RNA sequence: GGGAACAUGGCCAAGUGGUAAGGCAGAGGAUUGCAAAUCCUUUACCCCCGGUUCGAAUCCGGGUGUUCCCUCCA
């Protein structure tokens, strides 16, 4: 069995073969740090975090790099608006990024290069492009001469005349940028306007254009060619197309073997985006939704397809997560009862046929939706077993089998970054003690014996309101906390 | 106008030639004083029209619809 990945450049799934056997160099375009991350960012980084986790689980040595773009007009505008420096804006939102994405159990990248730390590398790369006659300086700016790069358009699947004919007047209106020789040329370096922050360069004081930083940082941190380049689908053109032009123009080598792009999050049928203003930030969402619910919501869809963000979808994921989490916590809740030596659980082997099915699913372009279907079957089995135990009924699955199921579920869910939500609603936090609950149960039993069902239901509702569910069994009543 | 994709049950969503995974919601039954708790059972000819094939949700052609990109964007 081998892993296949959908390659945007060829528009088909391809067998994954790393440049260097056993090693995967992976880069994902990070955020421009001028605001809090929204659900669209969450989808992107959860998607590539999951791909990364899977590759590691598959035995690859993965080097995962994700940048912070900390030089940009929007950061500058925000700095002006808030009367502070670009660096202060960047620091604020980099901290915000970590806070939010870590809560979603997105593993830290191996490296988080920043544009401000790579000005020399950027200048070197620009100089190389000028030397190769692929770029030209013009009035303090430097532009990439798109027509000089033969492969331009190969990623996004468009040719120059198509872009020309399709530009619908926008491009040749061109009065705005007289320094360009050709309308499609894009800036590698932009001269600083008076009062703007700048860095010194051979072309004068200025700052890098939008696309060049990724080319420079990939080269600096991972080398000329990497295995997987990921990012949001909205970056295919022009950002990634331009990265290819810059990097391959300079090195003559392929920048990435596989170009992988995640689909957009939609709201009411429209893309969630900052410019449309229809975004929900991760931190706002986390006010009311558990992190793992968001992760499950995202992973239940195939990563390349659009994903609609609706209240109903979140509610569905919330219920789904309860089931899933019941499975994940099974061993913690019942292992001792069942006589498992939990500290020795590492010796329990995952079920090979389940592992096999999981791998087959994930090998097919990280099909987390199909993989989850397999895990849900385990989770449901375990949940049922747990319910049977709580209700004092006989198990229908051998205890040893349950233990293997649980081990398998925990391991494979972990590959998807799904981890049990701790059930630390321990007695006495603020709620009732076990003894107090037992006393109420006794009261209710008496009421039931007296056929005073109004009173008995009142007690039941009162406990329910505090997250305690009563379960009537033939030989008495027990309770469980949510 | 140009480029790229997608279209599966009430909702979400797998499945890329051999009689439709999974989640959510719903229904029926069991249990119960009742029950939102629990257990069991259960719900699809895959946008439309042609074509290829012994056989297609799956391949091809033509429609229709939706989205993304072409401007900052995960």
């Amino acid at each position: 069995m081998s892993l296949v990945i959908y390659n945007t450049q060829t528009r088909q799934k391809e067998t994954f073969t790393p440049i260097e056997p056993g090693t995967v160099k992976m880069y994902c375009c990070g955020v421009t740090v001028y605001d809090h991350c929204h659900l669209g960012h969450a989808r992107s980084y959860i998607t590539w975090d999951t791909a990364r986790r899977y590759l590691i689980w598959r035995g690859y040595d993965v080097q995962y790099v994700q940048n912070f773009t900390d030089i940009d007009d929007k950061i500058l505008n925000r700095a002006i608006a808030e009367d502070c420096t670009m660096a202060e804006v960047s620091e604020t939102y980099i901290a915000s990024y970590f806070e939010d994405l870590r809560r979603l159990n997105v593993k830290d990248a191996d490296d988080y290069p920043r544009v401000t730390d790579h000005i020399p590398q950027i200048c070197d790369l620009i100089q190389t492009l000028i030397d190769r006659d692929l770029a030209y300086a013009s009035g303090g700016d430097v532009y990439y001469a798109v027509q000089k790069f033969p492969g331009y358009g190969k990623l996004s699947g468009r040719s120059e005349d198509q872009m020309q004919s399709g530009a619908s007047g926008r491009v040749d209106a061109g009065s705005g940028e007289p320094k360009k020789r050709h309308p499609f040329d894009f800036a590698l370096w932009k001269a600083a306007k008076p009062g703007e922050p700048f860095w010194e360069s051979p072309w004068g004081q200025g700052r890098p254009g939008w696309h060049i930083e990724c080319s420079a940082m990939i080269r600096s941190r991972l080398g000329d060619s990497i295995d997987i380049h990921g990012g949001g689908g909205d970056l295919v053109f022009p950002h990634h197309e331009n990265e290819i032009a810059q990097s391959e123009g300079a090195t003559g080598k392929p920048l990435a073997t596989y170009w992988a792009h995640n689909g957009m999050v939609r709201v009411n049928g429209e893309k969630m985006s900052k410019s449309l203003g229809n975004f929900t930030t991760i931190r706002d969402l986390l006010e009311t939704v558990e992190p793992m619910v968001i992760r499950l919501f995202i992973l239940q869809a195939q990563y390349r397809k659009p994903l609609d963000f609706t209240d109903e979808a979140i509610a569905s994921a919330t219920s789904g997560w309860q089931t899933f989490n019941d499975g994940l916590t099974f061993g913690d809740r019942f292992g001792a009862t069942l006589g498992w030596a939990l500290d020795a659980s590492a010796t329990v082997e995952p079920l090979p046929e389940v592992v096999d099915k999981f791998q087959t699913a994930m090998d097919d372009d990280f099909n987390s939706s199909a993989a989850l279907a397999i895990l849900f079957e385990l989770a449901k089995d375990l949940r049922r077993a747990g319910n049977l135990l709580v209700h004092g009924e006989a198990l229908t699955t051998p205890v040893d089998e349950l233990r293997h199921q649980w081990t398998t579920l925990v391991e494979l869910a972990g590959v998807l970054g799904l981890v049990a939500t701790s059930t630390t609603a321990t007695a006495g936090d603020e709620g009732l003690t076990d003894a107090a609950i037992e006393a109420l149960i006794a009261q209710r039993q008496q009421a039931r014996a007296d056929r005073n069902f109004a009173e008995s239901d009142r007690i039941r509702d009162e406990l329910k309101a505090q997250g305690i569910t009563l379960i009537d069994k033939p030989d008495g009543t027990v309770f469980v906390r949510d």
Side-chain angles (χ1 to χ4, degrees):
Chain A
M1 286 197 298
S2 56
L3 172 64
V4 297
I5 298 178
Y6 182 88
N7 191 345
T8 303
Q9 189 160 328
T10 58
R11 311 283 166 185
Q12 57 191 14
K13 292 178 184 176
E14 297 175 351
T15 300
F16 179 66
T17 310
I19 296 165
E20 197 181 312
T23 301
V24 179
K25 292 182 176 179
M26 190 168 170
Y27 180 91
C28 178
C29 283
V31 280
T32 299
V33 281
Y34 71 99
D35 203 349
H36 297 298
C37 289
H38 59 61
L39 187 58
H41 299 106
R43 183 182 195 190
S44 191
Y45 300 123
I46 286 172
T47 295
W48 305 118
D49 174 62
T50 304
R52 174 198 188 191
R53 286 169 182 270
Y54 182 66
L55 288 164
I56 291 170
W57 181 76
R58 273 299 237 113
Y60 291 103
D61 177 16
V62 180
Q63 295 175 55
Y64 182 79
V65 176
Q66 185 179 314
N67 68 295
F68 284 121
T69 295
D70 60 352
I71 301 176
D72 176 87
D73 287 346
K74 287 182 176 159
I75 303 172
L76 181 57
N77 290 339
R78 186 126 197 171
I80 292 166
E82 298 186 357
D83 194 26
C84 62
T85 64
M86 284 218 305
E88 283 165 340
V89 173
S90 302
E91 289 302 332
T92 298
Y93 293 108
I94 286 172
S96 167
Y97 170 90
F98 280 120
E99 198 180 313
D100 294 343
L101 276 296
R102 281 173 180 159
R103 288 186 67 191
L104 296 175
N105 201 24
V106 170
K107 281 173 64 155
D108 281 7
D110 296 309
D111 201 0
Y112 287 102
R114 302 184 190 189
V115 186
T116 46
D117 294 332
H118 290 78
I119 301 297
Q121 290 89 334
I122 287 169
C123 289
D124 284 352
L125 187 57
I126 294 173
Q127 189 58 55
T128 302
L129 291 170
I130 292 174
D131 294 344
R132 289 189 154 221
D133 197 31
L134 288 165
Y136 56 92
S138 174
D141 294 348
V142 181
Y143 292 97
Y144 194 102
V146 166
Q147 289 174 304
K148 298 262 180 80
F149 183 69
Y152 197 76
K154 68 181 179 181
L155 177 67
S156 51
R158 55 192 94 196
S159 65
E160 193 196 314
D161 13 312
Q162 282 168 343
M163 288 189 284
Q164 193 75 265
S165 63
S168 73
R170 211 160 7 214
V171 171
D172 40 29
S175 52
E177 301 187 87
K179 295 176 186 171
K180 283 188 191 180
R181 290 180 190 164
H182 183 88
F184 299 152
D185 292 352
F186 59 91
L188 298 171
W189 188 265
K190 303 200 281 196
K193 298 191 187 85
E196 286 183 349
F198 60 81
W199 286 262
E200 296 292 345
S201 83
W203 315 283
Q205 297 174 338
R207 55 202 158 95
W210 174 34
H211 316 290
I212 192 68
E213 84 279 14
C214 284
S215 286
M217 291 190 285
I218 290 170
R219 192 179 194 189
S220 155
R221 299 305 174 99
L222 292 171
D224 290 346
S225 295
I226 63 173
D227 297 295
I228 300 171
H229 189 130
D234 51 356
L235 297 180
V236 174
F237 189 91
H239 186 58
H240 290 161
E241 196 71 70
N242 291 351
E243 272 185 51
I244 289 175
Q246 292 160 350
S247 296
E248 301 190 1
T251 67
K253 299 174 196 167
L255 173 57
T257 315
Y258 306 91
W259 285 88
H261 295 94
N262 61 275
M264 300 293 99
V265 173
R266 297 198 299 210
V267 181
N268 298 324
E270 261 188 336
K271 176 185 173 184
M272 176 180 285
S273 74
K274 291 185 180 170
S275 49
L276 289 172
N278 61 349
F279 61 91
T280 301
T281 63
I282 297 171
R283 53 187 51 205
D284 281 351
L285 197 54
L286 286 174
E287 293 284 320
T288 53
V289 180
E290 278 190 61
M292 286 298 119
V293 169
I294 296 175
R295 193 148 181 136
L296 182 64
F297 165 65
I298 286 165
L299 259 22
Q300 275 196 298
Q302 213 283 340
Y303 75 87
R304 283 188 280 115
K305 293 196 173 179
L307 177 59
D308 273 305
F309 172 58
T310 61
D311 289 343
E312 193 182 4
I314 293 297
S316 173
T318 302
S319 300
W321 174 247
Q322 278 168 11
T323 298
F324 205 90
N325 195 47
D326 279 350
L328 283 176
T329 55
F330 181 84
D332 299 319
R333 288 183 298 153
F334 304 105
T337 309
L338 296 175
W340 301 355
L342 288 177
D343 53 348
S345 64
T347 60
V348 178
E349 291 297 317
L351 297 162
E353 65 278 11
V354 177
V355 170
D356 204 59
K357 282 199 272 187
F358 175 84
Q359 184 170 322
T360 300
M362 289 296 284
D363 269 357
D364 183 13
D365 195 29
F366 308 112
N367 191 338
S368 55
S369 181
L372 275 170
I374 294 155
L375 300 190
F376 258 103
E377 292 186 19
L378 293 180
K380 289 201 80 162
D381 273 0
L382 290 164
R383 187 178 69 133
R384 187 191 318 113
N387 287 332
L388 290 173
L389 287 170
V390 169
H391 285 254
E393 293 171 42
L395 290 177
T396 53
T397 310
V399 170
D400 194 53
E401 173 76 6
L402 290 174
R403 190 173 184 184
H404 280 87
Q405 286 183 349
W406 182 61
T407 304
T408 309
L409 177 63
V410 170
E411 173 176 328
L412 298 182
V415 175
L416 302 179
L418 293 169
V419 292
T421 305
S422 66
T423 51
T424 48
T426 47
D429 277 5
E430 58 188 49
L432 297 164
T433 61
D434 287 6
I437 295 168
E438 293 293 356
L440 284 166
I441 287 174
Q443 274 183 39
R444 175 166 171 274
Q445 286 298 64
Q446 185 57 51
R448 291 176 77 198
D450 298 340
R451 302 196 67 78
N452 182 358
F453 297 121
E455 171 66 6
S456 98
D457 288 350
R458 189 195 62 73
I459 294 171
R460 183 171 64 192
D461 292 345
E462 180 187 317
L463 287 169
K464 185 70 184 173
Q466 301 185 56
I468 293 152
T469 303
L470 297 187
I471 299 164
D472 293 328
K473 302 196 296 187
D475 59 343
T477 298
V478 297
F479 67 90
V480 288
R481 298 173 191 274
D482 292 349

